[in-house]
Amino acid sequence: MALLADPYAPTEIAQRMARTLSARLAAKTGQGRRFDVEVVSEPFTSGTEDPPTLMRRILDRGSAENWDIVVALTDLPLHAHGRRLAVDLNHEHGLALLSLPSLGGLRLQTKARRAVEEAVLGLAGPQTTAVGVPQRGQPSLRPLDNRLAPFHPGQTGEKDAEDLRYVVSGPRGYLRVLVGMVRANRPWRLVTGLSKALAAALATGAIATLDSTTWSLAEALSAPRLVIAMVGSVALMIGWLIVDGELWHRSTGGSPEARQRARLYNASTVVTVGIGALVCYVGLMVINLVWALFILNDQVFASLTRSPLHATEYLTLSWFVASVATVGGALGSGFESDEAIRAAAYSKREQERRHRLQGAQDD
């Protein structure tokens, strides 16, 4: 059998999985079967996100290599007939397609391994004979059966290369796919990926900490106003990065499925950039607090603000300065190239997908 994985994260997951997959499958079958697992890394989703097309590609690849079972892993969210696809299965040819974002963002390696094991055990067993009735050998995906709903493509009258799908539905399913997409983007890398914005934010914070006007404002502002300043600065940074980096996804088709994909991609963008901005804000607050503890003089501070410099004053000042520095970082991101912003905000696979879509729109 083969694990056919898209480059980057899916390949890493497949390689870690392959170390123990053969032994685990052999132990679960208990019939003296032996599973030889091969990991193949190639961009089989290049140029398309259409599940039937991907299943035909997997079928052609498996036939060319004479693989008995092929399980394909991708980190792209897949949709079929308005449903968010988790697993596509073809028992006749021994094919499975797994969309990793549908598994969510927590314990992804474990969930992916369980899904692959259940799919392989089902594909290696007898085929189903009754549409809509699970038979012996059909993958039940037991660890996830309370989250994934089985769906037979034949119910829609279509002729696809699969006989069973597992989909995620409802608000919880949408949230799980969204979390999976955000995890793939690794939003915590946003701060270190934008060097010019980070430099601008640090410089703004360092200068603001030394300014007596900032001291007075921090002392005068109430907690609700500090919260408003924080929310406003973070929202400004999110909006600026999305607009300046052209991160907003515009649907290239008028179908409901295309619009659904666009909404999902845009939601993942906002959440990804939002988490990155919050990480940046917290980091700036900590750095400003350390800087204030080192540089401020309590007598000078008290003489200008008529308030003693205690722990509360340090925290309030660092909080307010973090808001000011975040605005400075947002403005500093304007010196970053669009490519640098996308590289910081998205995974490599998502960058490639958006680059391909941009090329299609230009054509």
Side-chain angles (χ1 to χ4, degrees):
M1 63 161 291
L3 294 176
L4 181 63
D6 266 333
Y8 311 118
T11 295
E12 295 172 2
I13 291 174
Q15 289 173 341
R16 288 193 293 268
M17 187 188 306
R19 298 170 187 167
T20 59
L21 187 59
S22 296
R24 291 179 63 89
L25 289 173
K28 286 191 174 186
T29 55
Q31 302 173 1
R33 288 186 176 183
R34 184 169 62 91
F35 293 84
D36 295 323
V37 180
E38 178 182 356
V39 177
V40 179
S41 178
E42 62 180 51
F44 69 93
T45 58
S46 177
T48 184
E49 298 177 28
D50 179 51
T53 301
L54 295 177
M55 290 294 282
R56 286 190 289 270
R57 288 183 180 180
I58 298 168
L59 174 60
D60 293 341
R61 191 72 170 88
S63 300
E65 298 291 340
N66 199 28
W67 291 324
D68 295 322
I69 295 176
V70 185
V71 180
L73 284 73
T74 180
D75 55 358
L76 292 180
L78 300 177
H79 296 77
H81 301 281
R83 296 175 171 89
R84 289 175 285 277
L85 179 65
V87 185
D88 244 355
L89 298 166
N90 183 309
H91 290 78
E92 179 182 357
H93 299 287
L95 309 177
L97 171 62
L98 174 62
S99 175
L100 293 175
S102 66
L103 302 179
L106 301 176
R107 302 174 62 236
L108 180 59
Q109 183 71 43
T110 300
K111 291 179 180 178
R113 189 200 69 225
R114 289 177 177 174
V116 169
E117 288 176 1
E118 294 298 331
V120 172
L121 292 175
L123 294 173
Q127 298 180 17
T128 56
T129 56
V131 174
V133 180
Q135 301 291 330
R136 180 177 177 271
Q138 186 182 54
S140 61
L141 295 182
R142 288 185 297 272
L144 303 174
D145 59 1
N146 62 330
R147 299 178 181 179
L148 301 181
F151 168 74
H152 293 268
Q155 294 172 355
T156 62
E158 63 182 6
K159 295 182 179 180
D160 288 344
E162 60 275 332
D163 51 40
L164 179 64
R165 285 173 176 159
Y166 282 88
V167 297
V168 291
S169 58
R172 293 182 64 183
Y174 178 89
L175 181 61
R176 187 162 58 253
V177 174
L178 179 61
V179 171
M181 294 175 65
V182 172
R183 182 190 186 278
N185 288 334
R186 300 177 182 179
W188 52 88
R189 302 179 311 161
L190 182 68
V191 179
T192 56
L194 299 176
S195 57
K196 295 183 178 65
L198 181 60
L202 291 174
T204 303
I207 295 173
T209 303
L210 300 176
D211 184 53
S212 60
T213 303
T214 306
W215 302 350
S216 301
L217 286 173
E219 286 297 307
L221 291 176
S222 61
R225 290 192 174 187
L226 288 171
V227 171
I228 293 173
M230 177 183 69
V231 173
S233 62
V234 171
L236 177 62
M237 188 171 195
I238 294 172
W240 186 278
L241 287 174
I242 291 176
V243 173
D244 188 55
E246 298 181 357
L247 304 182
W248 198 254
H249 177 79
R250 294 178 176 82
S251 175
T252 56
S255 65
E257 194 167 305
R259 290 193 294 269
Q260 184 183 51
R261 279 200 301 267
R263 288 193 296 268
L264 185 60
Y265 282 124
N266 287 330
S268 71
T269 295
V270 173
V271 176
T272 297
V273 177
I275 293 175
L278 286 174
V279 171
C280 176
Y281 189 96
V282 173
L284 288 172
M285 188 172 178
V286 173
I287 293 173
N288 291 329
L289 177 60
V290 173
W291 174 240
L293 289 170
F294 174 76
I295 202 70
L296 293 185
N297 181 278
D298 55 349
Q299 294 181 351
V300 175
F301 185 91
S303 66
L304 292 174
T305 62
R306 297 181 181 179
S307 177
L309 187 57
H310 297 313
T312 303
E313 283 69 33
Y314 276 114
L315 291 174
T316 302
L317 178 62
S318 301
W319 188 4
F320 179 62
V321 169
S323 300
V324 176
T326 300
V327 174
L331 297 177
S333 67
F335 296 101
E336 302 277 5
S337 65
D338 293 347
E339 291 76 14
I341 295 177
R342 295 190 190 103
Y346 296 129
S347 65
K348 292 182 179 179
R349 288 283 297 146
E350 181 65 4
Q351 293 175 52
E352 292 175 357
R353 190 194 71 82
R354 289 178 179 261
H355 180 72
R356 185 177 69 248
L357 288 176
Q358 184 62 43
Q361 291 176 359
D362 293 341
D363 293 341

